[in-house]
Amino acid sequence: MKVGIIGATGYGGADLLRLLWQHPEAEEIITYTSSKQDLHIHESYPHLTAMYEQKLEELDAQKVASEVDIVFLATPPGVSSELTALLAQYGAQVIDLSGDLRLEDPDTYTAWYKRPSAPSNLLNQAVYGLSEWNQEEIKEADIIANPGCYPTAILLGLAPLIKEGLIDPNSIIIDAKSGTSGAGRTPSLMTHFSEMNENFKAYQVNTHKHIPEIEQVLKSWNDKVGAITFQPHLVPMVRGIMATMYGVSIKPTSEEALRGLYEETYKESRFVRIRPAGSYPATKEVYGSNFCDIGIGYDERTNRITVISVIDNVVKGASGQAIQNWNIMNGWDEATGLNVVPTYP
């Protein structure tokens, strides 16, 4: 198949290029831009030298749809809602890595993203691409709303508990940390080296735009779930997310029983790894890979369950899951092109 990438000069786009290079079904990869025509991608990313020599091509939706079979949109919020409608109109499959198509309610999107929503008919066509949980819907989809990085780690970690009704849905607290690549490549004071090195920041307190995305999915699994407490933090590393989630157990349980539930739930999932007793995951252990590693703890004294979930935010939280969804859409092995061993140390 011929693959198009719009937004290849961002970190998500660059990682798509890295992973698609080894994908056996990617016959040709074409990169498009609205502002940097004739720039060679290796001028922006020298690590791709001798791998991708072509220039970025001008972005015209009809031309793109006529040239490729699938388009990955690694664009900022507000861009893909317009492009997706045009690309779909001209017959291309679309996987959108931005947040434009994730929220089902247009008013909710507008309230949290502070911009107009995509039209309802487009939102209704988009399938939420949480690969491990929406496979049947993804198989039939032409438009995929790729989940956010934080929601991917959080939802994979909470799913078994929420679906089985094992925790008080009003007790959920999520404490999450991310590397600076999650903020994108555009320089800012927030991620400036002098500001971030040897520092640790909470940000967007009670206002992060991934909150309604997380709540939407949790409520679809269990209608008793209400508002959640989610607080992200920025740590001085490049890649990785660690989400630590707490919830009060509905009834006394054991760590062994909880681990058994997770192992049974994810036994067929290629990219979810459950840690053994007494072992908890670290971000470095999934670096550069599409894995989500999960550890479970239970405190008998407080009757509180703790779930620790880690991913590489640029891979499982963006490009890797997008390729996993592309594989599912086409009936290929979901791990095609993604059998990458994490980089360690």
Side-chain angles (χ1 to χ4, degrees), residues 130-156:
L130 190 63
S131 303
E132 281 70 23
W133 288 99
N134 285 350
Q135 289 214 11
E136 294 307 312
E137 294 87 348
I138 293 168
K139 287 177 183 178
E140 304 300 323
D142 289 319
I143 300 174
I144 297 292
N146 220 54
C149 50
Y150 280 124
T152 296
I154 291 163
L155 294 170
L156 290 176

Side-chain angles (χ1 to χ4, degrees), residues 3 5 21 45 66 78 89 102 153-154 160 162 177 188 192 217 253 265-266 268 286 317 332:
V3 178
I5 300 175
W21 175 257
Y45 289 107
S66 69
Q89 176 185 334
R102 297 173 189 156
I154 291 163
I162 297 297
K177 289 90 175 174
S188 70
H192 190 290
V217 179
T253 182
T265 298
Y266 288 118
E268 302 296 332
V286 296
W332 307 324

Side-chain angles (χ1 to χ4, degrees), residues 26-303:
E27 174 192 348
E28 182 181 358
I29 300 170
I30 305 173
T31 53
Y32 300 92
T33 181
S34 60
S35 60
K36 298 179 180 179
Q37 293 93 336
D38 296 328
L39 176 78
H40 288 275
I41 192 64
H42 61 77
E43 294 179 66
S44 186
Y45 289 107
H47 72 288
L48 298 175
T49 299
M51 300 174 69
Y52 294 100
E53 296 295 334
Q54 71 268 37
K55 296 178 180 179
L56 293 167
E57 296 194 10
E58 182 179 3
L59 176 56
D60 175 273
Q62 186 171 2
K63 178 175 181 291
V64 173
S66 69
E67 292 179 334
V68 301
D69 303 295
I70 178 78
V71 180
F72 292 92
L73 288 173
T75 54
V79 175
S80 61
S81 59
E82 297 181 9
L83 283 176
T84 301
L86 290 170
L87 291 166
Q89 176 185 334
Y90 295 127
Q93 290 183 327
V94 176
I95 298 179
D96 176 30
L97 278 69
S98 82
D100 281 3
L101 306 180
R102 297 173 189 156
L103 299 181
E104 297 170 356
D105 179 38
D107 292 337
T108 302
Y109 178 93
T110 300
W112 286 86
Y113 281 76
K114 311 301 181 187
R115 57 170 54 89
S117 168
S120 295
N121 66 324
L122 185 59
L123 297 176
N124 292 336
Q125 293 178 62
V127 169
Y128 189 69
L130 190 63
S131 303
E132 281 70 23
W133 288 99
N134 285 350
Q135 289 214 11
E136 294 307 312
E137 294 87 348
I138 293 168
K139 287 177 183 178
E140 304 300 323
D142 289 319
I143 300 174
I144 297 292
N146 220 54
C149 50
Y150 280 124
T152 296
I154 291 163
L155 294 170
L156 290 176
L158 286 177
L161 299 177
I162 297 297
K163 282 180 165 285
E164 294 297 323
L166 296 181
I167 57 174
D168 179 350
N170 295 311
S171 71
I172 299 170
I173 296 174
I174 304 162
D175 179 270
K177 289 90 175 174
S178 175
T180 57
S181 60
R185 201 181 192 194
T186 302
S188 70
L189 184 62
M190 181 74 173
T191 55
H192 190 290
F193 180 84
S194 298
E195 299 285 334
M196 195 62 243
N197 187 46
E198 298 182 5
N199 202 358
F200 188 8
K201 304 176 183 178
Y203 68 102
Q204 295 184 19
V205 177
N206 298 323
T207 62
H208 198 282
K209 59 182 177 290
H210 285 163
I211 291 174
E213 180 182 343
I214 298 165
E215 291 179 346
Q216 174 179 275
V217 179
L218 293 179
K219 289 176 182 177
S220 74
W221 291 339
N222 185 332
D223 59 12
K224 295 180 181 178
V225 175
I228 61 167
T229 296
F230 164 61
Q231 183 51 51
H233 302 76
L234 200 60
V235 297
M237 64 183 186
V238 176
R239 288 176 182 250
I241 279 178
M242 174 179 284
T244 305
M245 294 152 281
Y246 309 93
V248 175
S249 181
I250 294 295
K251 59 183 180 180
T253 182
S254 70
E255 190 172 306
E256 182 180 6
L258 292 168
R259 186 173 301 101
L261 168 66
Y262 275 74
E263 290 172 346
E264 177 65 23
T265 298
Y266 288 118
K267 65 181 180 181
E268 302 296 332
S269 298
R270 302 284 291 275
F271 294 112
V272 179
R273 306 188 296 189
I274 308 303
R275 302 302 288 266
S279 176
Y280 299 93
T283 57
K284 197 70 171 178
E285 293 158 358
V286 296
Y287 195 97
S289 79
N290 200 50
F291 287 112
C292 173
D293 285 7
I294 298 174
I296 305 101
Y298 175 65
D299 187 345
E300 294 180 0
R301 186 178 61 88
T302 62
N303 194 36

